[in-house]
Amino acid sequence: MTEPTLPRFASINLADGAIVDAAEVIVRRLSDMPASFHDQRAVQALLVSDPVLYRVYMPRQPGGSFGLYTATSVIEPGRVGDEYYMTKGHFHVNEGAPEVYLTLSGEGKLLMQTRDGRFEMQDMKPGVVNLIPGEWAHRTVNTGETRLVFLGVWPADAGHDYDSVYEQGFARLVLATADGPQVVPNPAYRGR
Ligand code: M6P
Ligand code: ZN
């Protein structure tokens, strides 16, 4: 008989979204995703300081042997030109692998799109659970004045396909205006 995988737990510092004693922290700066933003003059100007856009905290966990990954994502408030800070976004390599988000603090938008050109958007705010089916690329956008913090859970065999999103872009942009966040078609979108 093989040894059972041991139960674990993780603690989230609710003040900043960090997982206490994280095994890994992914830090994404503007220079990691300059082509994701529509205003390239604003990108060039901001690259001088190269701000941190978000961090992903992975707890100590058995990973593949457990079957699920867990992480908190913490997106800073801010904008590149008129476009809010956001994640790179990705498809799952395994399109049978869904994902669940629970927002803990802040406010934002979850953008989702399929390879055949469908687009959906959901609000993110504390207490909201977003259920993302396996075929949908997902990107999160911080539209608030504070950090957007959410917990994500996804199958260990999902895999991240960043290239498709990076090459095609997302079908919509979320822009800051005097009337608040506006969602507009992305003229540079190269998907279907
Ligand atoms: C969530 C999950 C992670 C993802 C992270 C940041 O925590 O979806 O899998 O890595 O958000 O998003 P991205 O990988 O697109 O930068
Ligand atoms: Zn995912």
Side-chain angles (χ1 to χ4, degrees):
M1 228 172 68
T2 55
E3 290 289 313
T5 301
L6 289 175
R8 307 281 179 105
F9 74 94
S11 298
I12 301 167
N13 179 346
L14 293 174
D16 65 4
I19 285 189
V20 178
D21 195 24
E24 187 184 350
V25 184
I26 299 165
V27 180
R28 290 243 214 277
R29 294 178 175 275
L30 180 59
S31 57
D32 294 313
M33 46 186 286
S36 297
F37 293 92
H38 83 109
D39 182 346
Q40 284 300 306
R41 281 172 59 164
V43 168
Q44 290 310 316
L46 257 187
L47 274 176
V48 176
S49 57
D50 197 12
V52 172
L53 306 184
Y54 60 101
R55 294 178 173 84
V56 182
Y57 296 87
M58 313 280 295
R60 297 181 187 286
Q61 61 186 1
S65 66
F66 183 62
L68 294 173
Y69 281 119
T70 307
T72 57
S73 294
V74 180
I75 309 179
E76 297 294 326
R79 298 195 288 259
V80 178
D82 59 356
E83 195 170 8
Y84 296 101
Y85 286 7
M86 60 190 181
T87 60
K88 270 181 119 162
H90 58 270
F91 284 97
H92 289 165
V93 176
N94 170 6
E95 298 209 329
E99 186 154 355
V100 175
Y101 287 167
L102 166 62
T103 300
L104 300 173
S105 65
E107 59 187 88
K109 303 283 184 196
L110 168 60
L111 312 185
M112 293 167 282
Q113 66 187 24
T114 61
R115 292 186 189 276
D116 65 3
R118 276 175 285 187
F119 177 85
E120 292 282 331
M121 192 179 73
Q122 293 179 353
D123 289 334
M124 299 177 77
K125 58 186 178 182
V128 168
V129 177
N130 304 105
L131 306 170
I132 308 164
E135 308 86 352
W136 294 76
H138 33 290
R139 161 177 286 167
T140 48
V141 183
N142 183 355
T143 56
E145 303 295 327
T146 60
R147 287 173 170 151
L148 173 63
V149 179
F150 62 96
L151 177 77
V153 181
W154 68 98
D157 66 358
H160 291 75
D161 167 13
Y162 291 106
D163 290 349
S164 299
V165 166
Y166 207 63
E167 285 157 15
Q168 299 178 353
F170 251 78
R172 303 278 198 286
L173 305 175
V174 187
L175 304 180
T177 74
D179 298 328
Q182 299 292 323
V183 182
V184 301
N186 177 5
Y189 178 53
R190 289 180 296 277
R192 276 208 248 171

